Amino acid sequence: MTTATTAAPPAQADASGSTSPLRDLWQHHRRFRPRVVAAVAATTVNTAADVAPELLLGVAVDVVVRGSDSFAATFFGVEGRFGQLLIIALLNVVVWVVESATDYAASILWRGLAQSVEHDLRVETYANVQDLDVSWHEGSAPGRVLSVVSDDVNQLERFLDTGARVILHTFWTVVFVGAVFAATSWTMTLLAFLPVPVIVIGSIAFQRRLEPLYAAVRARAGDVSATIATNLGGLTTIKAFTAEKREVERVREVSDGYRDANLRAIRWSSAFVPLIRMAILAGFTSTLLLGGWLTINGRLEVGLYTVLVFMTQRLLWPLTDVGQTLDLYQRAMASTRRIFALLRERGEQQPGTGVLAPPVRGGVELRGVRFGYADGPDVLRGLDLVVPAGQTHAVVGTTGAGKSSLLRLVLRFSDPREGQVLLDGTDVRELGWDALRGAIGYVSQDVFLFHGTVRDNLAYGRVDATDEQVREAARLAEADGFISALPQGYDTVVGERGQTLSGGQRQRIALARAILRDPALLVLDEATSAVDTETEAAIQRSLAAVTASRTALVVAHRLSTVRDADRIWVLSEGRVAEAGSHDELVAAGGIYAGLWAVQIGEAAGVVGAAR
């Protein structure tokens, strides 16, 4: 007996992690740390070079006003004013060259870092989502997952591209300008820096207020993506039921929610910039008046006064970008929380490490299997079923009997609550994914074809197949004829999900795709339920040919498809009600005989109506 391993419901993608988003990024991307250090160093030197021209301007003014008594004359030992100005001009050229070079380096480093992190996170989140259980995906809206993998990752990239550099540049500006002020006048320093605490405290307050607002924005963005993705996937159903206006209103409602959440965040973030401007005005006015008064009274040199006035603007004006940068930061952190919440998701099902002993025969056995979905009731109840290697067995029954659930267990899309599922005598939970699913060729009721050529779709499970092997598989599935008649034959591009092909054509391509893999076990789930009589006959001929040398497990609604099976299992309410050959079951007069009579009767009724 084994413990239930049905997957838990997926956590919300925007759930907050236990650690800060920045710490998550720092810990997760260790290999980018040297690049971060280099980017920080380049930004630091760039900021210093950016501040230096104001200092040189003050020195130049000092030269013009004081001549041979200027700071430059004393420091460089040059008495002539033009000579002093020439040295200052040369220094200015050096500063501008350094500033330009480090600006280029910082831009390359930060933007390259943003692109690399974006790339890594997109691939990692997709890989993690792909590894999660089928049951996780069935309980999660694809649009919300897409919103995280695409939109949230892009949001983080935008912050790393510009926001991080702006924050660092502002920080070093405050440090360097503060050092100049402190070396000149403590009184002027206090006045110039008076707005800074107001800005810092305001930033913290706004950050705390904006954090939940932008978490709500990202959640509403997920709702929009989920709704649009679902509607595009069901567009034919929408059109068939003339529900276009209703669905437009549904999109309008979720878009209204996204817009309103954004507007609430925008109202708060926009209020931050006027607050900063008023604080800057106070600091700049104080420096202008007090510095001017000190200069007029001979207590401050004209050159230093010029430097301090320009430095005040250099100190305070970049802070006007703090509001916009803070807005970008909060959006990015809300997105980062969603990204790492998705990265922390783990499936309940983990692959084993075992392999199947060659030659793989494909024998299947279910022993005392009990299974249900999530916290729901049992769908399969103590099921025992054996499919000997090399035989073709069918599973039939009314809707809800548990037929497709049985196949999920064989493919290990789910695990049983109790009992075992064995492949060639080995519990499937002990096998690695390649060992288990590599031995199985699967044809589902809802055939999925990728956007690409017919050949690409046929060779999806065996990418190294030769053209002749591809054609042989298509011939066995009786698909070669219609494929060759397509405009570009095997190189014809089919639309997403194969929409340019008929249902029967898609079904035969799916069968050929499974055949090409040369599996030990062929699993078909209602492979003829949505095809016409001609296609059904073609698929039956194909199955007769390809199952002669391999094991086959077939779930069917049309009993004519499986009448030649070695054994037919009839499920009812999750249990085996009957088992035997077609003739034996018809003669027994039980559930199968009743189903057969209904289908034969329907067929007779159709024929009679046609006459």
Side-chain angles (χ1 to χ4, degrees), residues 477-479 482 503-513 535 538-539:
E478 298 202 13
F482 81 79
Q505 289 172 333
R506 291 198 299 270
Q507 200 74 53
R508 279 184 274 182
I509 287 178
L511 180 59
R513 179 168 61 188
T535 302
I539 291 176

Side-chain angles (χ1 to χ4, degrees), residues 382-584:
L383 190 67
D384 292 302
L385 185 149
V386 179
V387 183
Q391 293 189 10
T392 297
H393 282 216
V395 179
V396 301
T398 57
T399 301
K403 304 184 297 295
S404 294
S405 297
L406 184 151
L407 296 189
R408 287 175 66 100
L409 298 178
V410 173
L411 289 157
R412 210 187 164 208
F413 290 159
S414 298
D415 284 334
R417 292 172 174 172
E418 290 181 2
Q420 290 181 294
V421 179
L422 308 173
L423 181 63
D424 278 0
T426 302
D427 193 314
V428 295
R429 285 170 290 200
E430 298 176 5
L431 298 173
W433 296 133
D434 288 338
L436 171 61
R437 293 169 186 163
I440 299 174
Y442 177 54
V443 181
S444 67
Q445 179 180 1
D446 182 19
V447 174
F448 187 93
L449 299 182
F450 295 91
H451 180 78
T453 66
V454 173
R455 190 197 185 284
D456 291 339
N457 277 281
L458 287 170
Y460 188 74
R462 188 179 172 185
V463 293
D464 60 344
T466 64
D467 287 343
E468 182 53 39
Q469 289 170 329
V470 170
R471 285 183 176 274
E472 178 60 24
R475 281 193 286 270
L476 287 172
E478 298 202 13
D480 180 65
F482 81 79
I483 293 175
S484 298
L486 293 173
Q488 282 81 42
Y490 283 79
D491 293 323
T492 301
V493 175
V494 299
E496 187 175 350
R497 301 185 68 88
Q499 293 300 319
T500 59
L501 302 175
S502 70
Q505 289 172 333
R506 291 198 299 270
Q507 200 74 53
R508 279 184 274 182
I509 287 178
L511 180 59
R513 179 168 61 188
I515 293 170
L516 181 61
R517 204 172 190 186
D518 193 23
L521 172 63
L522 186 62
V523 174
L524 295 95
D525 186 7
E526 303 278 14
T528 62
S529 62
V531 299
D532 55 36
T533 305
E534 181 183 351
T535 302
E536 180 186 4
I539 291 176
Q540 284 180 300
R541 291 192 298 269
S542 301
L543 290 177
V546 301
T547 59
S549 58
R550 58 173 51 86
T551 311
L553 180 59
V554 183
V555 163
H557 173 69
R558 291 185 180 179
L559 302 184
S560 56
T561 308
V562 299
R563 62 180 300 172
D564 294 326
D566 296 300
R567 191 173 184 83
I568 300 172
W569 302 83
V570 183
L571 299 189
S572 177
E573 297 182 351
R575 295 184 174 89
V576 175
E578 300 172 350
S581 67
H582 170 78
D583 292 337
E584 291 171 346

Side-chain angles (χ1 to χ4, degrees), residues 1-186:
M1 182 178 295
T2 57
T3 306
T5 55
T6 49
Q12 291 296 320
D14 56 354
S16 297
S18 58
T19 58
S20 75
L22 286 178
R23 188 178 297 114
D24 283 337
L25 283 171
W26 183 252
Q27 294 295 331
H28 192 73
H29 294 287
R30 293 176 181 271
R31 70 188 185 92
F32 293 132
R33 289 182 181 182
R35 190 183 300 184
V36 173
V37 172
V40 169
T43 303
T44 302
V45 175
N46 175 255
T47 306
D50 194 42
V51 170
E54 276 81 2
L55 289 172
L56 293 176
L57 177 61
V59 174
V61 171
D62 190 51
V63 168
V64 172
V65 174
R66 298 175 62 195
S68 59
D69 294 329
S70 68
F71 169 79
T74 304
F75 188 83
F76 297 117
V78 177
E79 293 187 2
R81 293 185 179 183
F82 184 76
Q84 296 174 40
L85 291 175
L86 183 61
I87 293 174
I88 294 170
L90 291 174
L91 287 174
N92 190 55
V93 169
V94 172
V95 166
W96 275 79
V97 169
V98 171
E99 194 276 336
S100 298
T102 53
D103 181 72
Y104 174 78
S107 179
I108 290 294
L109 289 166
W110 281 116
R111 301 184 76 174
L113 177 68
Q115 294 300 317
S116 297
V117 170
E118 177 190 33
H119 167 76
D120 278 15
L121 284 178
R122 179 177 290 118
V123 173
E124 286 182 55
T125 49
Y126 170 76
N128 191 59
V129 165
Q130 185 175 254
D131 286 342
L132 294 173
D133 305 338
V134 172
S135 55
W136 187 95
H137 288 279
E138 291 171 342
S140 179
R144 290 191 177 91
V145 175
L146 180 62
S147 175
V148 175
V149 176
S150 179
D151 190 35
D152 283 320
V153 172
N154 290 342
Q155 195 73 51
L156 176 60
E157 180 268 335
R158 283 191 285 271
F159 169 71
L160 292 176
D161 189 66
T162 58
R165 187 180 176 190
V166 168
I167 290 174
L168 193 62
H169 183 76
T170 303
F171 169 77
W172 282 120
T173 298
V174 172
V175 171
F176 293 143
V177 172
V180 173
F181 268 89
T184 304
S185 168
W186 280 105

